[in-house]
Amino acid sequence: MSSVPRFWRNLGSRYNLEGTRCKECGEYFYPPRNVCVNCRRMGELEPFKFKGTGEIVSYTLIHTGAEGFEGQAPYTLAIIKLDEGPRLTSQVVGNTDNIQIGTRVRSVFRKLGEDGERGMIYYGTKFVPVDA
């Protein structure tokens, strides 16, 4: 679980799929970075909002959910390669019966969880298969 202050610090990347792009080499990063791994100090990073589309490069079906996700099992967890290049791990929701490696996906805004019965509900990015 994220602490409340950390949660609020990450709102841009969590809600808007925002990362950074190096002006020097053109590399994209998600989550946002402070230093380009290629250019080091020579690179200048700028905020970048990703389109939210990509493809599944690996996935698994979770039958026994981790703490806080027990009620969602079974669910699909995938590594998504965004069209701009970065990879991220995300839950795939919606009709996941026919997903496979290479399936096109798009980002959606969904509930991620909550802190306790009366705690804060937090939202973020998940992905759904793109209808062919």
Side-chain angles (χ1 to χ4, degrees):
M1 286 298 161
S2 294
S3 69
V4 173
R6 181 175 179 198
F7 175 83
W8 289 108
R9 283 194 310 269
N10 293 329
L11 276 181
S13 62
R14 186 181 310 268
Y15 284 178
N16 297 309
L17 206 56
E18 291 177 354
T20 49
R21 178 185 173 278
C22 179
K23 291 181 180 182
E24 185 70 27
C25 69
E27 184 81 23
Y28 296 93
F29 301 101
Y30 183 85
R33 291 181 153 267
N34 294 322
V35 176
C36 176
V37 298
N38 301 317
C39 303
R40 308 279 186 212
R41 293 184 197 162
M42 300 301 290
E44 182 183 346
L45 295 176
E46 62 184 350
F48 182 83
K49 184 173 179 184
F50 293 98
K51 292 186 298 186
T53 55
E55 69 177 18
I56 294 174
V57 295
S58 183
Y59 71 96
T60 188
L61 182 61
I62 306 293
H63 291 279
T64 305
E67 183 179 342
F69 295 93
E70 303 91 349
Q72 296 180 30
Y75 59 91
T76 302
L77 197 59
I79 297 175
I80 311 291
K81 181 179 180 190
L82 297 175
D83 289 340
E84 295 87 352
R87 294 178 182 211
L88 58 102
T89 302
S90 179
Q91 189 175 353
V92 179
V93 296
N95 184 3
T96 59
D97 294 338
N98 297 317
I99 68 164
Q100 57 189 344
I101 292 173
T103 297
R104 297 287 303 162
V105 291
R106 66 178 173 82
S107 61
V108 292
F109 188 69
R110 296 285 190 268
K111 178 180 175 181
L112 296 178
E114 56 187 91
D115 287 330
E117 258 182 54
R118 298 180 141 197
M120 182 173 84
I121 297 173
Y122 45 99
Y123 297 86
T125 302
K126 293 185 181 183
F127 285 80
V128 294
V130 174
D131 296 328

